[in-house]
């Protein structure tokens, strides 16, 4: 009997995060994030750099003026925390300055995280 191939949505059920698609994530980043964030340098804009974000504690980019809520959250960013945060940033960190309403679709969040994971791990330009 042939094994059914899992869709991204099915893999996303039961608490696991879909793998994500780098190219789709790149498009989402350009459309929704790039206005406020960079990922390939240490520059800050309206939002902090996302370079090196994986494994970094919230509120810890030197020189960026975070809200007290963000500094106090104490979360370490990884796939799981970003996945939850990106669904509704204001719910995840009440009092955050981030005005982004979030990405409701799990596949879109996974795609964006995939792009950020790859790009944020590169040496800043």
């Amino acid at each position: 009997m042939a094994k059914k191939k899992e869709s991204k949505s099915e893999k996303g059920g039961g608490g696991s995060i879909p793998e994500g698609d780098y190219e789709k994530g790149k498009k989402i980043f350009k459309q929704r994030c790039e206005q406020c964030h960079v990922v390939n340098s240490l520059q800050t804009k309206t939002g902090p750099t996302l370079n090196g974000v994986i494994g970094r504690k919230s509120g810890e980019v030197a020189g960026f003026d975070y809200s007290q809520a963000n500094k106090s959250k104490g979360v370490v960013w990884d796939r799981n925390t970003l996945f939850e945060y990106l669904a509704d940033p204001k719910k995840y960190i009440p009092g955050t300055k981030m005005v982004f309403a979030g990405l409701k679709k799990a596949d879109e969040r996974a795609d964006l995280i995939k792009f950020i994971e790859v790009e944020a791990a590169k040496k800043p330009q």
Side-chain angles (χ1 to χ4, degrees):
M1 186 185 258
K3 186 177 176 183
K4 180 184 162 197
K5 185 177 178 183
E6 288 182 277
S7 73
K8 278 192 197 180
S9 298
E10 289 170 320
K11 286 192 280 186
S16 65
I17 297 172
E19 178 61 29
D21 179 283
Y22 174 89
E23 290 300 325
K24 288 179 182 177
K26 183 177 182 178
K27 288 178 186 174
I28 293 168
F29 187 85
K30 285 185 178 289
Q31 294 169 347
R32 310 288 296 274
C33 311
E34 195 170 62
Q35 179 179 345
C36 298
H37 295 278
V38 297
V39 71
N40 62 350
S41 80
L42 299 179
Q43 174 188 2
T44 59
K45 291 175 142 183
T46 305
T49 179
L50 298 179
N51 189 265
V53 70
I54 305 297
R56 183 170 68 214
K57 195 172 175 184
S58 63
E60 291 198 343
V61 170
F64 185 78
D65 184 26
Y66 287 98
S67 66
Q68 189 57 50
N70 197 296
K71 289 189 266 189
S72 299
K73 181 71 175 180
V75 66
V76 174
W77 298 117
D78 62 19
R79 287 182 60 79
N80 293 320
T81 55
L82 284 170
F83 192 77
E84 189 175 345
Y85 176 72
L86 290 169
D88 189 345
K90 290 188 180 293
K91 181 178 179 186
Y92 191 78
I93 302 179
T96 185
K97 291 188 217 175
M98 187 153 144
V99 296
F100 181 62
L103 293 169
K104 303 308 175 207
K105 295 180 181 176
D107 287 349
E108 288 182 354
R109 291 196 312 274
D111 294 341
L112 179 58
I113 291 166
K114 181 60 150 186
F115 173 77
I116 291 171
E117 279 181 315
V118 171
E119 294 301 315
K122 294 179 179 176
K123 184 177 178 180
Q125 297 177 357

